[in-house]
Short mmCIF file of all heavy atoms in Angstrom, two decimals:
data_model
loop_
_atom_site.label_atom_id
_atom_site.label_comp_id
_atom_site.label_asym_id
_atom_site.label_seq_id
_atom_site.Cartn_x
_atom_site.Cartn_y
_atom_site.Cartn_z
N ARG K 6 33.88 99.07 151.07
CA ARG K 6 35.08 98.28 150.79
C ARG K 6 36.30 98.91 151.45
O ARG K 6 36.34 100.11 151.68
CB ARG K 6 35.28 98.17 149.28
CG ARG K 6 34.22 97.31 148.61
CD ARG K 6 34.59 96.92 147.20
NE ARG K 6 33.62 95.99 146.64
CZ ARG K 6 33.76 95.38 145.47
NH1 ARG K 6 34.85 95.62 144.73
NH2 ARG K 6 32.85 94.55 145.02
N PHE K 7 37.30 98.07 151.73
CA PHE K 7 38.45 98.53 152.49
C PHE K 7 39.36 99.42 151.66
O PHE K 7 39.43 99.31 150.43
CB PHE K 7 39.27 97.33 153.00
CG PHE K 7 38.50 96.29 153.75
CD1 PHE K 7 39.00 95.01 153.89
CD2 PHE K 7 37.26 96.58 154.33
CE1 PHE K 7 38.31 94.03 154.57
CE2 PHE K 7 36.55 95.61 155.02
CZ PHE K 7 37.09 94.33 155.13
N GLN K 8 40.10 100.26 152.38
CA GLN K 8 41.16 101.07 151.80
C GLN K 8 42.44 100.81 152.58
O GLN K 8 42.39 100.41 153.76
CB GLN K 8 40.82 102.57 151.86
CG GLN K 8 39.51 102.95 151.19
CD GLN K 8 39.55 102.77 149.69
OE1 GLN K 8 40.59 102.98 149.06
NE2 GLN K 8 38.42 102.37 149.11
N VAL K 9 43.57 101.02 151.94
CA VAL K 9 44.84 100.91 152.66
C VAL K 9 44.82 101.86 153.85
O VAL K 9 44.43 103.02 153.72
CB VAL K 9 46.03 101.22 151.72
CG1 VAL K 9 47.33 101.30 152.51
CG2 VAL K 9 46.13 100.16 150.63
N GLY K 10 45.21 101.36 155.00
CA GLY K 10 45.20 102.17 156.23
C GLY K 10 43.98 101.94 157.09
O GLY K 10 43.97 102.35 158.26
N ASP K 11 42.96 101.27 156.55
CA ASP K 11 41.77 100.98 157.35
C ASP K 11 42.08 99.96 158.44
O ASP K 11 42.88 99.03 158.24
CB ASP K 11 40.66 100.40 156.47
CG ASP K 11 39.94 101.44 155.64
OD1 ASP K 11 40.13 102.65 155.90
OD2 ASP K 11 39.18 101.05 154.73
N THR K 12 41.42 100.11 159.57
CA THR K 12 41.47 99.10 160.62
C THR K 12 40.32 98.12 160.42
O THR K 12 39.16 98.54 160.25
CB THR K 12 41.36 99.74 162.01
OG1 THR K 12 42.50 100.59 162.23
CG2 THR K 12 41.33 98.69 163.11
N VAL K 13 40.64 96.84 160.37
CA VAL K 13 39.63 95.81 160.16
C VAL K 13 39.75 94.76 161.26
O VAL K 13 40.78 94.65 161.93
CB VAL K 13 39.79 95.14 158.78
CG1 VAL K 13 39.58 96.16 157.67
CG2 VAL K 13 41.16 94.47 158.63
N GLU K 14 38.69 93.99 161.43
CA GLU K 14 38.73 92.89 162.40
C GLU K 14 38.73 91.57 161.64
O GLU K 14 37.86 91.32 160.80
CB GLU K 14 37.56 92.92 163.37
CG GLU K 14 37.64 91.78 164.38
CD GLU K 14 36.66 91.88 165.53
OE1 GLU K 14 35.49 91.52 165.33
OE2 GLU K 14 37.09 92.32 166.61
N GLN K 15 39.70 90.75 161.96
CA GLN K 15 39.78 89.42 161.37
C GLN K 15 39.09 88.41 162.30
O GLN K 15 39.24 88.49 163.53
CB GLN K 15 41.24 88.99 161.19
CG GLN K 15 42.04 89.84 160.23
CD GLN K 15 43.48 89.36 160.11
OE1 GLN K 15 44.00 88.69 161.00
NE2 GLN K 15 44.13 89.71 159.02
N SER K 16 38.36 87.48 161.71
CA SER K 16 37.75 86.38 162.45
C SER K 16 37.93 85.11 161.63
O SER K 16 37.60 85.09 160.45
CB SER K 16 36.26 86.62 162.68
OG SER K 16 36.03 87.81 163.40
N ILE K 17 38.45 84.06 162.25
CA ILE K 17 38.65 82.82 161.53
C ILE K 17 37.53 81.83 161.84
O ILE K 17 36.82 81.96 162.84
CB ILE K 17 40.02 82.17 161.85
CG1 ILE K 17 40.12 81.82 163.34
CG2 ILE K 17 41.16 83.05 161.39
CD1 ILE K 17 41.33 80.97 163.66
N ASP K 18 37.38 80.84 160.96
CA ASP K 18 36.46 79.74 161.19
C ASP K 18 37.08 78.85 162.27
O ASP K 18 38.03 78.10 162.00
CB ASP K 18 36.26 78.96 159.89
CG ASP K 18 35.24 77.83 160.01
OD1 ASP K 18 35.23 77.14 161.05
OD2 ASP K 18 34.47 77.62 159.05
N VAL K 19 36.57 78.95 163.48
CA VAL K 19 37.20 78.28 164.63
C VAL K 19 37.12 76.77 164.52
O VAL K 19 38.08 76.05 164.85
CB VAL K 19 36.56 78.77 165.95
CG1 VAL K 19 37.16 78.02 167.14
CG2 VAL K 19 36.77 80.27 166.12
N ASP K 20 35.99 76.24 164.04
CA ASP K 20 35.85 74.79 163.94
C ASP K 20 36.89 74.19 163.00
O ASP K 20 37.49 73.15 163.29
CB ASP K 20 34.44 74.42 163.46
CG ASP K 20 33.38 74.67 164.52
OD1 ASP K 20 33.74 74.75 165.71
OD2 ASP K 20 32.19 74.76 164.16
N LYS K 21 37.12 74.86 161.86
CA LYS K 21 38.13 74.36 160.93
C LYS K 21 39.52 74.48 161.53
O LYS K 21 40.35 73.57 161.41
CB LYS K 21 38.04 75.11 159.59
CG LYS K 21 36.85 74.69 158.76
CD LYS K 21 36.85 75.35 157.39
CE LYS K 21 35.67 74.84 156.56
NZ LYS K 21 35.62 75.47 155.22
N ARG K 22 39.81 75.60 162.20
CA ARG K 22 41.12 75.76 162.84
C ARG K 22 41.37 74.64 163.84
O ARG K 22 42.47 74.05 163.87
CB ARG K 22 41.20 77.12 163.53
CG ARG K 22 42.30 77.25 164.58
CD ARG K 22 43.73 77.14 164.04
NE ARG K 22 44.08 78.29 163.28
CZ ARG K 22 44.48 79.46 163.80
NH1 ARG K 22 44.56 79.61 165.12
NH2 ARG K 22 44.80 80.46 163.02
N LEU K 23 40.38 74.33 164.66
CA LEU K 23 40.58 73.28 165.67
C LEU K 23 40.79 71.92 165.03
O LEU K 23 41.62 71.13 165.49
CB LEU K 23 39.39 73.24 166.62
CG LEU K 23 39.24 74.46 167.54
CD1 LEU K 23 37.96 74.36 168.36
CD2 LEU K 23 40.44 74.61 168.46
N LEU K 24 40.07 71.64 163.94
CA LEU K 24 40.28 70.38 163.24
C LEU K 24 41.69 70.32 162.66
O LEU K 24 42.39 69.30 162.80
CB LEU K 24 39.25 70.22 162.12
CG LEU K 24 39.44 69.00 161.20
CD1 LEU K 24 39.38 67.70 162.00
CD2 LEU K 24 38.40 69.01 160.09
N TYR K 25 42.13 71.39 162.02
CA TYR K 25 43.47 71.40 161.43
C TYR K 25 44.54 71.26 162.52
O TYR K 25 45.56 70.59 162.32
CB TYR K 25 43.70 72.69 160.64
CG TYR K 25 42.76 72.90 159.48
CD1 TYR K 25 42.54 74.17 158.96
CD2 TYR K 25 42.06 71.84 158.91
CE1 TYR K 25 41.67 74.38 157.89
CE2 TYR K 25 41.18 72.04 157.85
CZ TYR K 25 40.99 73.31 157.35
OH TYR K 25 40.13 73.52 156.31
N SER K 26 44.31 71.88 163.67
CA SER K 26 45.27 71.79 164.77
C SER K 26 45.34 70.37 165.32
O SER K 26 46.43 69.86 165.62
CB SER K 26 44.88 72.77 165.89
OG SER K 26 44.93 74.11 165.44
N ARG K 27 44.18 69.73 165.47
CA ARG K 27 44.16 68.34 165.93
C ARG K 27 44.91 67.44 164.95
O ARG K 27 45.71 66.58 165.35
CB ARG K 27 42.72 67.86 166.10
CG ARG K 27 41.97 68.50 167.26
CD ARG K 27 40.49 68.10 167.22
NE ARG K 27 40.35 66.65 167.26
CZ ARG K 27 39.40 65.97 166.61
NH1 ARG K 27 38.53 66.61 165.83
NH2 ARG K 27 39.35 64.66 166.71
N LEU K 28 44.64 67.63 163.66
CA LEU K 28 45.31 66.81 162.65
C LEU K 28 46.82 67.06 162.63
O LEU K 28 47.61 66.11 162.47
CB LEU K 28 44.71 67.10 161.28
CG LEU K 28 43.37 66.42 160.97
CD1 LEU K 28 42.68 67.12 159.81
CD2 LEU K 28 43.57 64.95 160.66
N HIS K 29 47.22 68.32 162.80
CA HIS K 29 48.65 68.65 162.73
C HIS K 29 49.39 68.04 163.92
O HIS K 29 50.43 67.38 163.76
CB HIS K 29 48.84 70.16 162.69
CG HIS K 29 50.15 70.56 162.10
ND1 HIS K 29 50.34 71.72 161.38
CD2 HIS K 29 51.37 69.96 162.11
CE1 HIS K 29 51.59 71.81 160.99
NE2 HIS K 29 52.24 70.75 161.43
N THR K 30 48.84 68.21 165.12
CA THR K 30 49.48 67.60 166.29
C THR K 30 49.51 66.08 166.16
O THR K 30 50.53 65.44 166.45
CB THR K 30 48.75 68.01 167.58
OG1 THR K 30 48.74 69.44 167.70
CG2 THR K 30 49.44 67.42 168.81
N ALA K 31 48.39 65.51 165.72
CA ALA K 31 48.34 64.06 165.56
C ALA K 31 49.40 63.57 164.58
O ALA K 31 50.00 62.50 164.77
CB ALA K 31 46.95 63.63 165.09
N GLY K 32 49.67 64.35 163.53
CA GLY K 32 50.70 63.97 162.58
C GLY K 32 52.08 63.94 163.22
O GLY K 32 52.89 63.03 162.95
N HIS K 33 52.35 64.92 164.06
CA HIS K 33 53.64 64.92 164.76
C HIS K 33 53.74 63.75 165.75
O HIS K 33 54.80 63.12 165.90
CB HIS K 33 53.85 66.24 165.51
CG HIS K 33 54.19 67.38 164.62
ND1 HIS K 33 54.77 67.24 163.39
CD2 HIS K 33 54.06 68.73 164.81
CE1 HIS K 33 54.97 68.42 162.84
NE2 HIS K 33 54.54 69.35 163.67
N VAL K 34 52.64 63.47 166.43
CA VAL K 34 52.65 62.35 167.37
C VAL K 34 52.85 61.03 166.63
O VAL K 34 53.61 60.16 167.07
CB VAL K 34 51.34 62.31 168.19
CG1 VAL K 34 51.33 61.10 169.13
CG2 VAL K 34 51.19 63.60 169.01
N LEU K 35 52.21 60.89 165.48
CA LEU K 35 52.42 59.70 164.65
C LEU K 35 53.87 59.60 164.21
O LEU K 35 54.48 58.53 164.27
CB LEU K 35 51.49 59.74 163.44
CG LEU K 35 51.70 58.64 162.39
CD1 LEU K 35 51.48 57.26 162.98
CD2 LEU K 35 50.77 58.87 161.19
N GLY K 36 54.43 60.72 163.75
CA GLY K 36 55.84 60.72 163.34
C GLY K 36 56.76 60.30 164.47
O GLY K 36 57.71 59.51 164.27
N ALA K 37 56.47 60.79 165.69
CA ALA K 37 57.28 60.43 166.85
C ALA K 37 57.14 58.94 167.16
O ALA K 37 58.12 58.26 167.47
CB ALA K 37 56.86 61.26 168.06
N ALA K 38 55.91 58.41 167.07
CA ALA K 38 55.68 57.00 167.36
C ALA K 38 56.45 56.12 166.37
O ALA K 38 57.09 55.14 166.76
CB ALA K 38 54.18 56.70 167.30
N VAL K 39 56.39 56.46 165.09
CA VAL K 39 57.08 55.67 164.08
C VAL K 39 58.59 55.76 164.28
O VAL K 39 59.31 54.74 164.20
CB VAL K 39 56.68 56.13 162.66
CG1 VAL K 39 57.51 55.42 161.61
CG2 VAL K 39 55.19 55.87 162.42
N ARG K 40 59.09 56.97 164.54
CA ARG K 40 60.54 57.11 164.76
C ARG K 40 61.00 56.27 165.95
O ARG K 40 62.01 55.55 165.86
CB ARG K 40 60.91 58.59 164.96
CG ARG K 40 62.39 58.79 165.30
CD ARG K 40 62.78 60.25 165.36
NE ARG K 40 62.83 60.84 164.03
CZ ARG K 40 63.86 60.71 163.18
NH1 ARG K 40 64.93 59.98 163.52
NH2 ARG K 40 63.82 61.29 162.00
N HIS K 41 60.31 56.36 167.06
CA HIS K 41 60.75 55.65 168.26
C HIS K 41 60.68 54.14 168.08
O HIS K 41 61.47 53.40 168.68
CB HIS K 41 59.91 56.09 169.46
CG HIS K 41 60.26 57.46 169.95
ND1 HIS K 41 60.04 57.88 171.25
CD2 HIS K 41 60.84 58.52 169.32
CE1 HIS K 41 60.46 59.14 171.39
NE2 HIS K 41 60.94 59.53 170.23
N LEU K 42 59.77 53.67 167.25
CA LEU K 42 59.66 52.24 167.00
C LEU K 42 60.67 51.73 165.96
O LEU K 42 61.24 50.65 166.12
CB LEU K 42 58.25 51.90 166.51
CG LEU K 42 57.15 51.71 167.54
CD1 LEU K 42 55.81 51.56 166.82
CD2 LEU K 42 57.42 50.49 168.42
N LEU K 43 60.89 52.51 164.91
CA LEU K 43 61.53 51.96 163.72
C LEU K 43 62.87 52.59 163.34
O LEU K 43 63.52 52.11 162.40
CB LEU K 43 60.57 52.08 162.53
CG LEU K 43 59.22 51.37 162.70
CD1 LEU K 43 58.37 51.53 161.46
CD2 LEU K 43 59.43 49.89 163.00
N GLU K 44 63.28 53.63 164.04
CA GLU K 44 64.52 54.30 163.65
C GLU K 44 65.70 53.34 163.57
O GLU K 44 66.56 53.46 162.69
CB GLU K 44 64.83 55.43 164.63
CG GLU K 44 66.03 56.26 164.26
CD GLU K 44 66.20 57.47 165.17
OE1 GLU K 44 65.69 57.45 166.30
OE2 GLU K 44 66.83 58.45 164.73
N LYS K 45 65.74 52.36 164.48
CA LYS K 45 66.85 51.42 164.50
C LYS K 45 66.51 50.10 163.81
O LYS K 45 67.34 49.19 163.73
CB LYS K 45 67.27 51.15 165.95
CG LYS K 45 67.82 52.39 166.65
CD LYS K 45 68.22 52.09 168.08
CE LYS K 45 68.75 53.34 168.77
NZ LYS K 45 69.12 53.08 170.21
N GLU K 46 65.28 50.00 163.32
CA GLU K 46 64.83 48.76 162.68
C GLU K 46 64.93 48.82 161.15
O GLU K 46 65.04 47.78 160.50
CB GLU K 46 63.37 48.47 163.07
CG GLU K 46 63.13 48.28 164.55
CD GLU K 46 63.63 46.94 165.04
OE1 GLU K 46 63.80 46.02 164.21
OE2 GLU K 46 63.88 46.81 166.26
N ILE K 47 64.86 50.02 160.60
CA ILE K 47 64.79 50.17 159.15
C ILE K 47 66.01 50.93 158.64
O ILE K 47 66.25 52.07 159.04
CB ILE K 47 63.49 50.91 158.75
CG1 ILE K 47 62.28 50.05 159.14
CG2 ILE K 47 63.48 51.23 157.26
CD1 ILE K 47 60.96 50.69 158.82
#
């Protein structure tokens, strides 16, 4: 088990990271699409 001061290697679940990144970018793109269409309409 680890102790304070130990050097450790971190590894993330890459498939989940890529899915979350795709979803996050897509959310911003959706936000941009809605803003550009409706900012002056609503």
Side-chain angles (χ1 to χ4, degrees):
R6 291 194 174 187
F7 307 160
Q8 303 293 325
V9 172
D11 283 347
T12 296
V13 297
E14 181 169 80
Q15 297 180 337
S16 301
I17 61 170
D18 184 320
V19 177
D20 289 340
K21 286 185 177 179
R22 162 65 71 80
L23 292 175
L24 174 60
Y25 299 159
S26 297
R27 290 172 57 216
L28 281 162
H29 203 148
T30 302
H33 285 336
V34 177
L35 173 60
V39 174
R40 176 174 287 279
H41 286 205
L42 277 173
L43 301 181
E44 185 173 23
K45 296 180 180 178
E46 299 285 339
I47 295 179

